[in-house]
Amino acid sequence: MRKKIFKRLALAIAIGAAGVSASHVALANHAWGSYHWARSTPQFTLKLGNNLTTSAWTARLNQSSNDWNAGNTPVLTAIVAGGTSARTCKMVPGTTQVCNASYGNNGWLGLASININGDHITQGTAKMNDTYFNAATYNNVNEREHVMCQEVAHTFGLGHQSEDGSSQNSCMDYFSNTGAYATSTVSTKPNAHDFSLLNSIYSHLDSTSTVAATPGTVGPAAKGGANVDISDDPNSWGALMKQSANGRASTYQRHNDDGSVTLTHVFWTNEAVASCPSCDHRRQYWDSH
């Protein structure tokens, strides 16, 4: 199992590295590996657990859900009551749990994690770090929308259209809606290429489902085992597998006791990468405490 997953991830990393130097290459395929929710119907609804603690974030989740639902893809979203706490943001099988909290001065703005068995996503979380979003640099509606839209979509199986800071006018790029661009709405919503890729990722049906049709109802493959959650300790992310050239995007992988794998996308702040783009940024923060 581990050898198979490493081969798939190595291929995804090679494709991503080839796309860094030219935006049009990156646009060819920005799936997060081959990972997808298993489902046996042409269209399915992924429940987004609302563990958000402020109206500002709830509005951003509502907008992101509506924007992704407008794409005529197999993936629909529905916002439901949260199944965890904002602080711990634990995974709930068959769902994506969405959370915000002041997670600390740890360098990251947004963090998305998925738990996988083989190619199938079984559960996910999307976290927004208020330690930074409550600060003037990032506290604007467009940066919040950009990050919310992106972190939720990572749990669909989407990666980034571009990681070089340029705008593809998609929330799946790494444009920064801050400073002089704080009032700009570019890169705050999915675009046609995002929808096209979702149609491609979900062009086949599965014999089982890892999606919760109703609360507490999931296929056997979606039932998580021990230690699948990501904690406040960045060492819980596992090994650094890929990092963008400018250092703002990192992907980590951890093997779990139950044989599943947890993958985590990290969206770093501008400040975290300023001194050392090539560093594993969690070391800059965690090792200093």
Side-chain angles (χ1 to χ4, degrees):
M1 169 69 77
R2 294 188 179 189
K3 185 180 292 184
K4 181 178 179 183
I5 291 172
F6 273 119
K7 285 181 178 179
R8 284 199 307 271
L9 191 58
L11 177 60
I13 291 170
I15 292 171
V20 167
S21 61
S23 296
H24 69 276
V25 177
L27 289 176
N29 187 329
H30 61 287
W32 188 357
S34 56
Y35 313 121
H36 60 282
W37 293 87
R39 92 281 186 228
S40 55
T41 57
Q43 196 168 56
F44 69 99
T45 299
L46 176 63
K47 288 180 166 56
L48 305 178
N50 181 1
N51 305 281
L52 301 168
T53 62
T54 68
S55 59
W57 279 123
T58 298
R60 304 284 62 79
L61 179 59
N62 289 339
Q63 185 64 57
S64 294
S65 177
N66 290 337
D67 289 341
W68 285 109
N69 286 350
N72 192 27
T73 75
V75 184
L76 292 176
T77 61
I79 300 171
V80 300
T84 182
S85 72
R87 181 70 203 180
T88 60
C89 204
K90 290 183 177 295
M91 292 189 180
V92 174
T95 73
T96 290
Q97 296 296 308
V98 185
C99 310
N100 74 290
S102 293
Y103 295 112
N105 183 31
N106 48 32
W108 59 264
L109 275 177
L111 191 150
S113 299
I114 54 173
N115 188 237
I116 59 172
N117 279 319
D119 285 334
H120 291 150
I121 303 169
T122 62
Q123 48 199 327
T125 56
K127 300 167 71 173
M128 273 44 72
N129 189 352
D130 279 339
T131 301
Y132 297 101
F133 280 108
N134 287 338
T137 300
Y138 301 100
N139 191 8
N140 74 77
V141 65
N142 296 312
E143 183 71 351
R144 285 173 180 260
E145 187 65 38
H146 185 171
V147 177
M148 174 66 77
C149 179
Q150 181 175 133
E151 301 311 322
V152 167
H154 280 322
T155 72
F156 304 163
L158 284 179
H160 304 123
Q161 282 200 28
S162 171
E163 295 179 340
D164 62 8
S166 64
S167 175
Q168 310 299 322
N169 201 20
S170 163
C171 64
M172 304 312 295
D173 63 38
Y174 264 57
F175 181 77
S176 185
N177 298 84
T178 59
Y181 302 103
T183 59
S184 173
T185 60
V186 300
S187 299
T188 59
K189 301 178 183 298
N191 66 13
H193 191 78
D194 296 314
F195 296 137
S196 177
L197 188 56
L198 281 178
N199 281 317
S200 176
I201 292 171
Y202 291 96
S203 62
H204 71 283
L205 296 181
D206 300 287
S207 58
T208 60
S209 176
T210 55
V211 183
T214 57
T217 305
V218 295
K223 295 179 180 178
N227 302 323
V228 301
D229 293 302
I230 296 300
S231 73
D232 284 346
D233 182 354
N235 291 312
S236 71
W237 303 345
L240 175 63
M241 303 302 294
K242 177 181 179 290
Q243 189 155 291
S244 63
N246 64 4
R248 290 214 69 194
S250 300
T251 303
Y252 297 84
Q253 176 180 265
R254 189 191 66 202
H255 291 273
N256 302 316
D257 294 343
D258 65 348
S260 68
V261 172
T262 301
L263 298 175
T264 298
H265 264 311
V266 183
F267 193 161
W268 298 102
T269 64
N270 292 309
E271 296 82 1
V273 305
S275 60
C276 185
S278 62
C279 294
D280 183 350
H281 305 306
R282 59 184 171 172
R283 302 274 69 88
Q284 296 172 245
Y285 292 86
W286 189 252
D287 290 349
S288 65
H289 295 316

